[in-house]
Amino acid sequence: MIRLGILGSGFGSNMQAILDAIQNGELEAEIVIVLSDVPDAYILKRAERAGLPSGVIDCRGLSSKFPEEAQRETADILSQAGVELICLAGFMRLLRPPLLSAFPGRIINIHPSLLPNFPGLCAWTQAVEAGAHESGCTVHYVDAGMDTGTIIAQASVPVLPDDTPDRLHARIQEEEHKLYPAAIAQIAVKLERE
Ligand code: GRF
């Protein structure tokens, strides 16, 4: 059974969807650790409630940078936990070599747009403001860029004429919660064969 490490900075609804899929028997996996760079993030409360090991990544008071030392510490914690696949779920810092090179081809992310369209922050607002007729979500491998890694899976969501950014985001999230567990299941099979 594949051992997952989840990194998130916020609400943790994608982490919850992964956990639900495991508990429903739809995904053969185990969440072995949940880490957050935000000490009071709700994702940590969810982990605690579910009895999952969790911890805080100490980013030395920096608001958006992920210091090299913190990346090294994170890689060590994940390795010690026996993590085979790192799933970013609303993690708001860019990963760099100390962490990326410790888990080559084993870090994935979910982004709320059809990449390569609308990378970066508030992708749902970008879609509404651009007048797009379609958006969605993408699961992709993580590289050192911002939402630039190889695409694994996508689901599309129509942008409705009266959509607000919030309404679109809510509908995209519904798709995320199905797509992410399904993509993890697909990767687990692939990694098992390697
Ligand atoms: C999701 O919309 C995801 O696509 C983006 O950040 C959001 C995280 O939401 N990367 P949650 O914390 O999983 O609820």
Side-chain angles (χ1 to χ4, degrees), residues 16-160:
Q16 189 67 53
I18 294 166
L19 186 61
D20 292 347
I22 292 172
Q23 287 172 348
N24 295 339
E26 289 159 19
L27 172 61
E28 237 184 272
E30 189 185 353
I31 299 176
V32 294
I33 192 155
V34 178
L35 297 176
S36 180
D37 56 322
V38 178
D40 61 352
Y42 193 59
I43 191 169
L44 291 176
K45 301 241 159 41
R46 290 184 194 265
E48 197 185 317
R49 218 167 48 201
L52 300 172
S54 62
V56 174
I57 301 168
D58 178 5
C59 286
R60 277 72 174 167
L62 298 172
S63 61
S64 58
K65 277 216 171 105
F66 195 174
E68 205 172 306
E69 195 47 39
Q71 300 220 24
R72 209 165 284 124
E73 286 167 9
T74 304
D76 288 347
I77 293 168
L78 293 165
S79 300
Q80 277 160 23
V83 167
E84 295 167 295
L85 182 69
I86 300 174
C87 304
L88 305 186
F91 188 69
M92 300 305 285
R93 295 177 196 251
L94 281 183
L95 273 51
R96 294 279 176 214
L99 185 46
L100 286 177
S101 50
F103 289 87
R106 285 174 180 261
I107 310 179
I108 61 173
N109 180 42
I110 184 145
H111 180 79
S113 76
L114 293 175
L115 290 171
N117 295 334
F118 313 126
L121 292 177
C122 299
W124 54 90
T125 309
Q126 294 185 51
V128 170
E129 284 176 356
H133 295 293
E134 185 187 44
S135 191
C137 49
T138 302
V139 177
H140 64 94
Y141 285 105
V142 173
D143 60 18
M146 170 92 81
D147 307 319
T148 48
T150 306
I151 291 172
I152 299 163
Q154 292 186 307
S156 69
V157 171
V159 182
L160 305 177

Side-chain angles (χ1 to χ4, degrees), residues 10-14 89-90 109-112 169 173 176:
F11 190 55
S13 68
N14 279 284
N109 180 42
I110 184 145
H111 180 79
H169 187 209
Q173 283 223 297
E176 289 187 336

Side-chain angles (χ1 to χ4, degrees), residues 1-4 26-29 84-85 106 108 141 152 181-194:
M1 206 169 353
I2 191 159
R3 294 170 68 85
L4 308 177
E26 289 159 19
L27 172 61
E28 237 184 272
E84 295 167 295
L85 182 69
R106 285 174 180 261
I108 61 173
Y141 285 105
I152 299 163
I184 293 167
Q186 182 190 320
I187 294 164
V189 170
K190 184 177 157 263
L191 290 177
E192 225 163 71
R193 287 201 193 119
E194 280 181 10

